[in-house]
């Protein structure tokens, strides 16, 4: 295999590593801010889910692109892509995740308060 072909495959593995980093963020949402006992279990389930989905994604992609036998530099490409994701995109995605979480939490509290006080209190159609 020529060097250009190997370099192309390596960069595809780096891109898969970037996708894997984003996928890990999605899987980690399941364990976000839960009670201590539930968080350990949910973190394990989220990590297992990530591993299974990422493995299938890598195998299918490598198979579809007709990669030859699995080579060691593929692992290095995956790891480099995930490290690159953590150093660049992770902060923005984590910030967005927290903003969404806090927004959903505020909406849930509003709905809860609305139900406590009753609809009559918030009805703007009545005078007085």
């Amino acid at each position: 295999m020529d060097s250009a072909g190997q370099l192309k495959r390596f960069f595809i593995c780096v891109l898969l590593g970037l996708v894997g980093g984003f996928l890990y963020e999605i899987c980690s949402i399941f364990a976000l801010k839960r009670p201590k006992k539930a968080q350990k279990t949910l973190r394990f389930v989220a990590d297992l889910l990530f591993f299974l989905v990422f493995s299938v994604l890598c195998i299918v992609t490598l198979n579809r692109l007709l990669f030859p036998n699995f080579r060691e530099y593929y692992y290095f490409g995956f790891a480099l892509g995930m490290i690159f994701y953590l150093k660049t995109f992770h902060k923005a995605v984590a910030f967005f995740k927290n903003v969404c979480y806090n927004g959903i939490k505020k909406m849930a509290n509003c709905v809860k308060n609305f139900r406590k006080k009753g609809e009559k209190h918030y009805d703007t159609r009545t005078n007085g």
Side-chain angles (χ1 to χ4, degrees), residues 30-45:
F30 295 119
L32 188 67
K33 300 189 182 179
R34 304 269 193 234
K36 199 81 159 165
K37 285 184 179 181
Q39 189 171 10
K40 283 180 96 173
T41 305
L42 288 173
R43 175 61 68 187
F44 175 76
V45 170

Side-chain angles (χ1 to χ4, degrees), residues 9-128:
R9 287 181 174 91
F10 176 73
F11 283 124
I12 289 173
C13 290
V14 170
L15 287 175
L16 277 172
L18 283 170
V19 170
F22 185 72
L23 184 66
Y24 186 76
E25 290 286 339
I26 292 171
C27 290
S28 71
I29 290 174
F30 295 119
L32 188 67
K33 300 189 182 179
R34 304 269 193 234
K36 199 81 159 165
K37 285 184 179 181
Q39 189 171 10
K40 283 180 96 173
T41 305
L42 288 173
R43 175 61 68 187
F44 175 76
V45 170
D47 287 345
L48 186 65
L49 179 68
F50 163 74
F51 173 75
L52 292 173
V53 171
F54 186 64
S55 297
V56 169
L57 175 73
C58 290
I59 290 169
V60 167
T61 303
L62 297 179
N63 193 14
R64 290 282 180 174
L65 294 177
L66 301 175
F67 276 39
N69 298 333
F70 201 81
R71 310 217 191 260
E72 289 82 22
Y73 69 87
Y74 296 171
Y75 288 121
F76 183 67
F78 297 147
L80 188 65
M82 286 189 182
I83 290 169
F84 185 68
Y85 173 83
L86 286 174
K87 295 294 182 184
T88 56
F89 301 114
H90 171 69
K91 291 179 183 174
V93 172
F95 174 75
F96 182 71
K97 184 171 68 172
N98 283 335
V99 167
C100 289
Y101 175 79
N102 291 334
I104 290 170
K105 192 172 177 181
K106 283 182 183 178
M107 284 192 305
N109 284 338
C110 284
V111 168
K112 193 168 146 182
N113 290 337
F114 180 76
R115 288 184 179 164
K116 270 186 187 176
K117 293 181 181 178
E119 292 182 27
K120 186 176 181 184
H121 178 70
Y122 289 101
D123 195 3
T124 57
R125 293 176 291 177
T126 59
N127 296 333

